Amino acid sequence: MSNDAATRRTRGFRALLPDQAWAELVQHGVRRQHTTGERLLCQGEPGGWLLLCLAGRLKVVYTEPDGRDLVLAVRGPGDLLGEFSGRDGQPRSATVQAVEPGITSKLSERRFGELVQRFGLSERISAYIVSKMRESASRAWRLAHRSASVRLAELIGALLDAAGPDHPRADTIAMSQEELASALGLARSAITPVLAAWKTAGVIRTSRGRLHVVDPTALKRLAVSSAGQNDR
């Protein structure tokens, strides 16, 4: 296995745990397959359980009362979802929706808490939550100050990174142009010229409801270059 594959395999919450602890958490949950677009956790609903992502990419979406959506984060294999409501007893603060087909393990908060105590994972849970909060703060700044091209490149980059090493088509993202724009709180017209320029440069291809990243390295260069110009 390459160093890159090993790093991606142990991403997210999984990267903080011993193998036995992760295996026990997965074993005590209920495995469930989900389809593209399926809502696995819903904003405003009570908690009671958590999800361990085993396969497939997920997006964490906040919805305004007027129906507008904004993607707060992208998650993938190795991530833990739904732990916030378990800690404060409040309703779900966001919706977790499947970007593509995948598998999760659903674990009750009570059982999860027992296993956390058994394996002495409290500090690791806290570290994981803090890392999510730091990520959220950074993303909020970028959404407010970065250009549409930078924000789009970073979103696509996050989707690529979240795929995991065993994904059969990590470079294919099952999101339409409308969905990508909505994820950033933008109109489709704001990203259309950006995607057109990237297609001309040979960085991406698009098909119905999908975006295919042809050159991930070039996409990262474009994001860094555009961000530098944005900061001048």
Side-chain angles (χ1 to χ4, degrees), residues 170-186:
D171 294 342
T172 295
I173 298 168
M175 294 176 69
S176 66
Q177 294 186 32
E178 189 70 37
E179 289 174 311
L180 289 168
S182 176
L184 298 169
L186 299 171

Side-chain angles (χ1 to χ4, degrees), residues 79-96:
D79 274 315
L80 172 68
L81 300 107
E83 76 279 11
F84 280 18
S85 65
R87 294 176 75 89
D88 63 14
Q90 297 297 309
R92 305 283 186 199
S93 59
T95 293
V96 174

Side-chain angles (χ1 to χ4, degrees), residues 41 43 57-63 69-76 79-84 93-99 128 132 135-136 139 155 159 183:
L41 301 175
Q43 181 177 327
R57 288 170 281 199
L58 308 168
K59 57 183 179 180
V60 182
V61 182
Y62 175 77
T63 304
D69 292 336
L70 184 68
V71 170
L72 302 178
V74 175
R75 304 296 178 210
D79 274 315
L80 172 68
L81 300 107
E83 76 279 11
F84 280 18
S93 59
T95 293
V96 174
Q97 189 172 17
V99 174
Y128 182 64
K132 282 187 172 183
E135 177 187 336
S136 296
R139 178 169 173 76
L155 173 61
L159 286 159

Side-chain angles (χ1 to χ4, degrees), residues 2 11 18 22 42 47-48 53 66-67 70 72-73 75-76 78 115 118 139 149 177-178 200 207 213 218 224 230:
S2 69
R11 60 173 303 285
W22 175 258
C42 293
C53 183
D66 63 7
L70 184 68
L72 302 178
R75 304 296 178 210
L115 291 168
R118 174 180 165 188
R139 178 169 173 76
S149 60
Q177 294 186 32
E178 189 70 37
T200 300
S207 59
V213 181
V224 171
N230 208 126

Side-chain angles (χ1 to χ4, degrees), residues 131-191:
S131 72
K132 282 187 172 183
M133 295 175 67
R134 290 182 182 276
E135 177 187 336
S136 296
S138 175
R139 178 169 173 76
W141 189 92
R142 294 195 302 272
L143 285 173
H145 298 284
R146 296 299 197 195
S147 66
S149 60
V150 174
R151 290 155 62 182
L152 181 58
E154 290 180 343
L155 173 61
I156 295 171
L159 286 159
L160 295 178
D161 292 340
D166 299 322
H167 198 293
R169 299 188 66 183
D171 294 342
T172 295
I173 298 168
M175 294 176 69
S176 66
Q177 294 186 32
E178 189 70 37
E179 289 174 311
L180 289 168
S182 176
L184 298 169
L186 299 171
R188 178 176 175 176
S189 59
I191 69 167

Side-chain angles (χ1 to χ4, degrees), residues 17 20 22 27 31 43 66 113 128 130 137 149 174 185 206-207 219 224 232:
L17 306 187
Q20 183 183 356
W22 175 258
Q27 179 183 349
R31 290 199 185 208
Q43 181 177 327
D66 63 7
Y128 182 64
V130 168
S149 60
T206 58
S207 59
L219 183 65
V224 171
R232 290 174 188 170

Side-chain angles (χ1 to χ4, degrees), residues 93-126:
S93 59
T95 293
V96 174
Q97 189 172 17
V99 174
E100 60 199 358
I103 304 171
T104 59
S105 180
K106 181 178 178 179
L107 191 62
S108 72
E109 289 174 355
R110 180 188 61 79
R111 190 63 176 139
F112 180 77
E114 292 172 353
L115 291 168
V116 165
Q117 291 300 316
R118 174 180 165 188
F119 286 103
L121 302 177
S122 295
E123 290 187 5
R124 303 187 193 208
I125 290 286
S126 296

